[in-house]
Amino acid sequence: PQINNEGHVAWQGSDASAIDYEIYLYNGTNIIQITDNTFTDLNPKLNDNGFIVWERRDDGPDYEIFLYDGTGIINISNNDYHDFAPQINNKGSVVWYADAGNAEIFLYSYGGGPVTQITNDTYDDIEPQINDSGDIFWHTNFNLDTEIRHLDPKYGVTSITNNAYDDYSPRINSSSD
């Protein structure tokens, strides 16, 4: 389960048919079933505004990223890739990685503009995190070494680590501190 600062909780749970998983939200008073379909909805993330983002796996060739904004559900990835591990900030911006030949990072900004591909290289860029300032962190597999990278909205992409060790799974706070 994911809990936000308002005490709301989002999770994936088996639906009544027990065939697939659906997304649920406890809003402090009631449990609301957000999805009701024949697909497998997984890995929900919840922001402080009650927006939920998750990945949907179907029996077809694609996995997609969906966003619930309190009024409806939006397919925000809508591409031909397998999309994984979405993260959302309190402004509604969402990052995830997709298998586009190799893993690349994508960004959706709530309320405007198309999806932006953040990385486009020959390495696997995985497990992005985004904070409320729009900073994005992830790890990149450089063939024999894995390093932490950072996209600062003002200054571009830099490597945070550059060493002989494998560095994985960055976690960041909600500000740029």
Side-chain angles (χ1 to χ4, degrees):
Q2 291 284 303
I3 187 167
N4 67 12
N5 287 331
E6 304 299 317
H8 301 167
V9 181
W11 68 94
Q12 70 193 37
S14 179
D15 67 2
S17 67
I19 294 174
D20 64 1
Y21 288 98
E22 303 297 347
I23 302 300
Y24 294 85
L25 171 68
Y26 172 70
N27 65 7
T29 306
N30 299 306
I31 295 175
I32 303 165
Q33 184 173 344
I34 303 299
T35 62
D36 186 11
N37 55 54
T38 59
F39 304 111
T40 300
D41 297 304
L42 300 169
N43 302 320
K45 301 297 185 240
L46 175 67
N47 75 7
D48 288 342
N49 298 312
F51 289 21
I52 306 170
V53 65
W54 67 92
E55 63 189 68
R56 174 173 290 166
R57 297 182 182 186
D58 63 21
D59 294 331
D62 302 325
Y63 301 166
E64 301 292 349
I65 304 299
F66 284 80
L67 172 72
Y68 171 75
D69 65 0
T71 61
I73 296 173
I74 306 163
N75 179 345
I76 60 174
S77 59
N78 199 22
N79 57 38
D80 294 330
Y81 308 133
H82 282 358
D83 301 292
F84 300 98
Q87 299 290 321
I88 188 167
N89 69 12
N90 286 322
K91 294 181 178 180
S93 294
V94 178
V95 293
W96 67 93
Y97 72 95
D99 182 358
N102 55 295
E104 301 293 354
I105 307 296
F106 291 81
L107 170 68
Y108 168 82
S109 297
Y110 182 74
V115 168
T116 304
Q117 185 171 341
I118 300 300
T119 61
N120 188 11
D121 54 37
T122 59
Y123 305 106
D124 285 329
D125 302 301
I126 301 174
E127 294 185 352
Q129 300 285 309
I130 188 168
N131 66 16
D132 291 345
S133 299
D135 292 293
I136 302 171
F137 291 81
W138 66 93
H139 71 258
T140 298
N141 184 353
F142 291 109
N143 297 326
L144 299 175
D145 188 24
T146 302
E147 302 295 345
I148 304 299
R149 305 201 65 207
H150 170 226
L151 169 67
D152 181 302
K154 294 179 185 173
Y155 302 109
V157 175
T158 58
S159 288
I160 299 299
T161 61
N162 185 10
N163 55 46
Y165 306 103
D166 286 332
D167 302 295
Y168 293 100
S169 304
R171 297 295 178 257
I172 59 176
N173 64 17
S174 62
S175 69
S176 59
D177 299 338

